[in-house]
Amino acid sequence: MPAPGDVLRGTNGISVAMLDAVFDASPVALVLLVGPELVVDHVNAACRALTRPDVDPVGQRFADVWPTGDPVVVPALTNVLATGAGLSVDDYIVPAAGRSRRFSVQVKRVPWRRGLALLLAAWETSDTWEARRAAEAAADAALRRAAELDAAVDAIADGLVLYGRGGEILRMNETAKRMLGYAPEEAVSSLAERFEAMRVFLPDGSLMRLEETPIARALRGETVSSAHVRVEYQGRSLWVLASAAPVRGADGAIVGAVLTFSDETALHEMEQARDDLVRMISHDLRTPLNAVYNQAHLLRRHPDDAARVEARTNVILKSCERMSAMIQDLVEATLLEDRQLRLSLEPVDLGELVPELLERFRGALDTDRVKLVVHPDVPRALADPERVERIVVNLLTNALKYSPPQGDVTLEVAANPEGVALVVTDRGVGIAPEDMPHVFERFFRARGARQPEGLGLGLYITRLLVQAHGGRVDVSSQLGQGSTFRVILPAAVALH
């Protein structure tokens, strides 16, 4: 039987020897502190490794053997002994051999022999903390790389879409979101449902089937490069250059597909404009050139016939003038498109300028058919007089060309809430509804022209000139009744 003093109070007969055995077997550092001086009463091997190696801790004050010298430790322990409130520290740093070791520490007041003591338990968390720090660093690096990858993908000028195995959208970059304009519910719909909402045309104008689309082919394992298609979607028509490839897993199985595409609409329009230009030049410039060629040959046959020479010469001059006007149209359209045409803006009294222009045009235009109406109280326009002349010539030429041979054309100069209005009205064939959206487009010539000459740039140049002035131009028309073109130029007083 153990001696009475060796039996711990309240421990159901556990002896000090048994307690020592439990202490020493624990991998957790354990120490019992007694008395107000917090003297070390019991300590296990794990705890001895933490205390000063040159001093036996038993019988010593805790403050003298604990290596940290932390001034808050003893007051905290004294508070636990006095109040019974437990103490728990998750990350306590202990300096050791030039490095820091981290511990979790718990302190609890316990009955000990004939009084109270503190049981301090500490277990090292250095490896766990290092592992957690490494994991957090790896996670931060992964998130940073993911963010950088996302930023890089979103910065790509082309659209990029990543699809799952079933054709569902997994990821889109910002360009793809902007170009496709998918609502969230559309993005999660099936490939077939999304395809049903659009019309895709091949370059030859035929409709593309779902199984022919680049993404469907990629999901079957094909790689598609530079497929040129036209897409009609949400009221828009786009020419798209698309490429797609399968995405394979580690086992080689197809797990999805990636699609890249770019908006080639502007390039396609430029190519169309180039083709139109070549066609127009080859056709329309050839007509006056042929006239020059033919008349020159006729002149060689009758060089001494003055009447014939004069007639042939007049035809040649007129043909050269037509060719010069066409070339001027091309140059001016190019300058306007590139914003290189400079305007010399000044206050212009259109009520005075327009009658002078009509008198100047006499002979070049059938001005006898033009009825001029100048309304009172017309403010001065802020305009370039030379460019206004071109606007008036283009509008009158167009009106006379599409009117009956003896039909009148009305030219009005009037005040307008937005500035000054030039209104040209003819009683001609009118413009078909399907042609109305294209009247001011480059190289467009409406059906019904009595004399389909020129490059079809007159109204296009007119629109660009008016817009360069900060004004606007529009048209209203009815088939068989004629058309009205209305130009609004800013008033000079608008700047004051």
Side-chain angles (χ1 to χ4, degrees):
M1 292 293 293
D6 292 334
V7 178
L8 302 180
R9 180 169 57 90
T11 57
N12 297 322
I14 297 177
S15 67
V16 173
M18 294 174 63
L19 181 61
D20 285 341
V22 172
F23 261 45
D24 288 337
S26 174
V28 175
L30 299 174
V31 60
L32 273 172
L33 306 176
V34 297
E37 296 296 323
L38 301 178
V39 175
V40 177
D41 189 277
H42 273 72
V43 63
N44 69 350
C47 190
R48 285 179 184 274
L50 301 179
T51 60
R52 287 175 52 186
D54 58 330
V55 177
D56 183 359
V58 177
Q60 303 291 328
R61 292 190 313 160
F62 180 79
D64 294 334
V65 296
W66 193 248
T68 65
D70 192 342
V72 302
V73 172
V74 172
L77 296 177
T78 302
N79 181 67
V80 175
L81 185 63
T83 64
L87 176 64
S88 178
V89 180
D90 289 333
D91 189 24
Y92 186 78
I93 300 176
V94 176
R99 69 184 186 92
S100 296
R101 300 172 65 185
R102 310 179 99 90
F103 293 85
S104 288
V105 179
Q106 288 188 353
V107 182
K108 185 177 180 181
R109 190 176 69 179
V110 296
W112 178 245
R113 293 179 174 167
R114 294 180 177 82
L116 297 173
L118 292 182
L119 175 61
L120 185 150
W123 57 96
E124 188 166 3
T125 58
S126 298
D127 292 343
T128 303
W129 188 88
E130 289 294 339
R132 183 177 67 182
R133 187 176 66 171
E136 289 174 349
D140 288 343
L143 289 174
R144 186 168 56 254
R145 286 195 296 269
E148 291 171 352
L149 178 60
D150 280 347
V153 169
D154 284 337
I156 296 174
D158 291 344
L160 186 147
V161 185
L162 182 63
Y163 294 85
R165 185 177 302 166
E168 69 278 11
I169 293 177
L170 302 179
R171 174 78 166 83
M172 288 190 293
N173 70 350
E174 291 301 319
T175 303
K177 291 178 183 178
R178 183 176 63 255
M179 291 177 62
L180 294 174
Y182 280 148
E185 60 273 13
E186 292 177 295
V188 299
S189 59
S190 69
L191 180 62
E193 290 171 332
R194 291 193 304 274
F195 185 77
E196 187 68 24
M198 63 178 63
R199 284 156 56 89
V200 182
F201 296 88
L202 294 167
D204 63 4
S206 61
L207 275 171
M208 177 179 281
R209 301 190 305 272
L210 174 60
E211 58 270 22
E212 297 174 317
T213 60
I215 192 60
R217 292 169 60 186
L219 289 171
R220 295 197 301 267
E222 298 181 50
T223 297
V224 183
S225 299
S226 303
H228 201 204
V229 297
R230 182 169 66 87
V231 180
E232 290 183 356
Y233 177 66
Q234 293 183 343
R236 298 179 298 161
S237 180
L238 302 175
W239 280 94
V240 173
L241 191 67
S243 299
V247 176
R248 300 182 183 274
D251 59 354
I254 296 175
V255 296
V258 62
L259 171 73
T260 59
F261 58 94
S262 58
D263 185 352
E264 301 292 314
T265 305
L267 178 60
H268 182 79
E269 290 175 351
M270 185 172 66
E271 291 175 347
Q272 277 192 319
R274 179 201 62 197
D275 294 343
D276 289 342
L277 178 61
V278 172
R279 185 172 60 253
M280 289 292 180
I281 291 176
S282 64
H283 177 270
D284 294 321
L285 281 179
R286 186 175 295 162
T287 300
L289 184 61
N290 284 338
V292 171
Y293 181 80
N294 292 332
Q295 296 301 322
H297 274 282
L298 291 172
L299 280 173
R300 293 181 64 181
R301 294 181 184 178
H302 307 281
D304 299 325
D305 189 332
R308 289 187 177 183
V309 168
E310 182 178 1
R312 305 305 181 202
T313 302
N314 288 336
V315 173
I316 290 174
L317 288 173
K318 187 173 182 179
S319 296
C320 290
E321 288 172 357
R322 286 180 58 192
M323 291 176 63
S324 177
M326 291 179 186
I327 293 172
Q328 180 61 29
D329 279 349
L330 289 171
V331 171
E332 197 159 280
T334 301
L335 291 174
L336 283 166
E337 289 170 345
D338 292 342
R339 302 181 181 228
Q340 296 181 12
L341 190 68
R342 297 290 178 259
L343 300 181
S344 299
L345 299 178
E346 60 183 72
V348 177
D349 188 342
L350 295 184
E352 293 181 359
L353 177 63
V354 171
E356 294 176 5
L357 295 178
L358 289 180
E359 189 62 31
R360 197 186 309 162
F361 299 157
R362 190 174 300 278
L365 291 176
D366 191 359
T367 55
D368 291 336
R369 292 167 52 196
V370 179
K371 179 182 178 183
L372 176 63
V373 179
V374 178
H375 293 271
D377 302 323
V378 178
R380 290 175 178 266
L382 185 67
D384 183 329
E386 291 186 9
R387 306 308 173 189
V388 171
E389 176 180 337
R390 185 62 188 277
I391 291 170
V392 173
V393 169
N394 287 351
L395 292 177
L396 289 179
T397 301
N398 181 78
L400 293 169
K401 181 171 64 175
Y402 285 89
S403 296
Q406 304 304 320
D408 289 339
V409 170
T410 301
L411 171 57
E412 297 180 73
V413 181
N416 183 275
E418 300 176 43
V420 185
L422 289 170
V423 184
V424 177
T425 303
D426 65 63
R427 309 306 189 273
V429 295
I431 303 171
E434 60 270 24
D435 288 341
M436 288 288 284
H438 309 290
V439 166
F440 296 103
E441 291 181 359
R442 178 175 40 195
F443 305 129
F444 180 78
R445 289 184 291 194
R447 285 156 280 190
R450 209 168 35 84
Q451 297 173 328
E453 57 184 36
L455 297 176
L457 288 171
L459 292 179
Y460 174 68
I461 291 173
T462 298
R463 174 173 67 84
L464 295 182
L465 284 173
V466 172
Q467 291 175 345
H469 279 81
R472 63 179 178 85
V473 59
D474 56 46
V475 60
S476 57
S477 182
Q478 287 188 334
L479 278 177
Q481 297 185 30
S483 305
T484 297
F485 287 82
R486 182 177 290 99
V487 169
I488 308 297
L489 296 175
V493 295
L495 295 183
H496 300 296

